Amino acid sequence: MTNPTIAIVQEAPVFLNLSASVEKAITHMEEAAKASANIIVFPETWLPGYPVWLDFAPGAGLWDDPGAKTLFRLLAENSVQLGDDHLARLQESCDRLGTYMVMGAHERIGNTLYNSTLYFMPGAGNPVPHRKLMPTYTEKLVWGWGDGSTLATVDTPWGTLGGLICWEHWMPLARAAMHAKGEAIHIAQWPMVKEMNHVASRHYAFEGRCAVAAAGAVITKADVMAGFHSLAVNAPEAESLLASMPGDDDTQIHTGGSAIIAADGSYIADPVYGRTGLVMGEVDMAKQLEECQALDTDGHYSRPDVFELKVNTRAMPGVTFGED
């Protein structure tokens, strides 16, 4: 049984700039592939950056705030859409490098944005999306709700690859549904991986008897402002809202914390805080299978005679027409 090497890209995107962030992603993919990575992982909404103003800018949640509205527009203008040229560029890189890649992105459908994970497979043609089921707290100001039609996994030579986004890891039924899909490798995307996020990620690995790549970004206030300025737009209200975040240029808004976790909850690659770079580790698949002797939550430890979960995997649009 071969063992996959996972590389987490703990870097900042070119904040709010989709085209520039795609080019930067390809550079990091090439770096990871050169280091013999089989699966390359980016953090939550890395394309083109987690909306940090929701957490740190005073006034971001005020009704009809012109800065928040402008930032939403800029984010919508710099979000991916399935089938677009940006995703095609990333797919071409996966094909060329022969690697699997998991990207966190803002995805636009109509005029609604989603917090999405995109699974790229070499030679597949198009990425497979998962859209976050429940935006957390202030995230509801930016993202809509996903549905069960994108509770996705993909096949790899090392087994099933799946993932959840941020606080989805505290949704017990979402975890149960993903465990039932038989994940061998799970991607846990976070803005940054704080202590409680490590608790959730390590618990997921132990409960699901799978390897977990917990991915977070490192981004400074200077990165945020430089990314905004790279757009070369006249949007003083948006710039002012971003500038209102506390700290100076060197202040780290997100501090990384990426790690790779084994199926027994131990670390394959210890958490890395405060610096950029690749966080890499090799998963021992044989040892992982051995852990299932004591616990298999979708198998001999499941008690289906007592518990039953039904998952609605139909797409749930707001409007359907007769021919649909």
Side-chain angles (χ1 to χ4, degrees):
M1 181 180 292
T2 59
N3 294 328
T5 296
I6 301 172
I8 300 172
V9 178
Q10 183 165 281
E11 298 279 352
V14 183
F15 190 73
L16 288 177
N17 189 324
L18 177 58
S19 295
S21 293
V22 167
E23 295 304 316
K24 188 172 184 181
I26 292 170
T27 297
H28 292 310
M29 290 172 66
E30 291 170 344
E31 177 188 4
K34 188 176 180 179
S36 299
N38 306 115
I39 301 171
I40 304 168
V41 180
F42 288 79
E44 180 179 358
T45 57
W46 198 87
L47 289 179
Y50 186 84
V52 292
W53 63 88
L54 296 177
D55 293 326
F56 298 102
L62 295 177
W63 182 264
D64 212 30
D65 182 81
K69 291 170 70 174
T70 302
L71 284 170
F72 176 84
R73 172 176 59 81
L74 293 173
L75 192 55
E77 292 171 349
N78 284 271
S79 294
V80 301
Q81 299 180 69
L82 291 182
D84 70 16
D85 291 342
H86 301 292
L87 299 184
R89 291 269 289 128
L90 295 174
Q91 182 64 56
E92 289 166 3
S93 296
C94 286
D95 296 344
R96 173 171 51 87
L97 298 171
T99 59
Y100 291 76
M101 193 267 283
V102 184
M103 174 62 76
H106 296 269
E107 181 191 3
R108 181 176 175 182
I109 300 176
N111 292 318
T112 294
L113 304 185
Y114 295 89
N115 179 342
S116 296
T117 300
L118 300 171
Y119 297 91
F120 292 82
M121 297 165 285
N126 294 296
V128 175
H130 163 59
R131 301 181 186 112
K132 189 176 183 183
L133 294 171
M134 177 55 66
T136 304
Y137 199 50
T138 52
E139 291 176 354
K140 296 179 178 69
L141 295 170
V142 172
W143 296 316
W145 299 4
D147 59 38
S149 69
T150 69
L151 204 60
T153 57
V154 299
D155 294 329
T156 77
W158 312 280
T160 301
L161 172 67
L164 292 172
I165 303 169
C166 202
W167 279 41
E168 286 185 317
H169 289 87
W170 284 296
M171 299 175 71
L173 301 185
R175 295 201 313 270
M178 295 305 291
H179 297 332
K181 289 173 173 282
E183 290 174 299
I185 300 166
H186 175 86
I187 308 303
Q189 291 181 319
W190 309 88
M192 60 177 168
V193 195
K194 298 183 287 187
E195 180 184 4
M196 281 304 297
N197 303 346
H198 275 285
V199 171
S201 299
R202 294 181 71 185
H203 173 268
Y204 193 99
F206 189 91
E207 180 182 79
R209 286 318 202 219
C210 58
V212 170
V218 171
I219 188 167
T220 66
K221 187 174 180 180
D223 292 328
V224 170
M225 300 310 299
F228 172 80
H229 291 143
S230 75
L231 295 173
V233 295
N234 181 24
E237 298 92 346
E239 182 176 11
S240 177
L241 187 63
L242 293 175
S244 72
M245 295 188 297
D248 56 24
D249 284 351
D250 294 331
T251 298
Q252 286 191 340
I253 295 173
H254 289 157
T255 59
S258 300
I260 301 171
I261 305 160
D264 63 357
S266 64
Y267 285 113
I268 297 170
D270 290 334
V272 176
Y273 287 100
R275 62 178 175 85
T276 59
L278 297 177
V279 178
M280 298 188 65
E282 180 181 300
V283 180
D284 186 337
M285 299 304 295
K287 182 179 178 182
Q288 181 163 304
L289 183 57
E290 292 172 3
E291 295 301 324
C292 295
Q293 180 190 29
L295 177 67
D296 180 5
T297 55
D298 188 56
H300 61 77
Y301 229 85
S302 63
R303 289 303 304 273
D305 55 321
V306 179
F307 304 109
E308 183 179 359
L309 172 62
K310 180 179 179 180
V311 181
N312 180 4
T313 59
R314 292 184 294 115
M316 302 296 290
V319 177
T320 58
F321 296 91
E323 60 268 25
D324 297 335

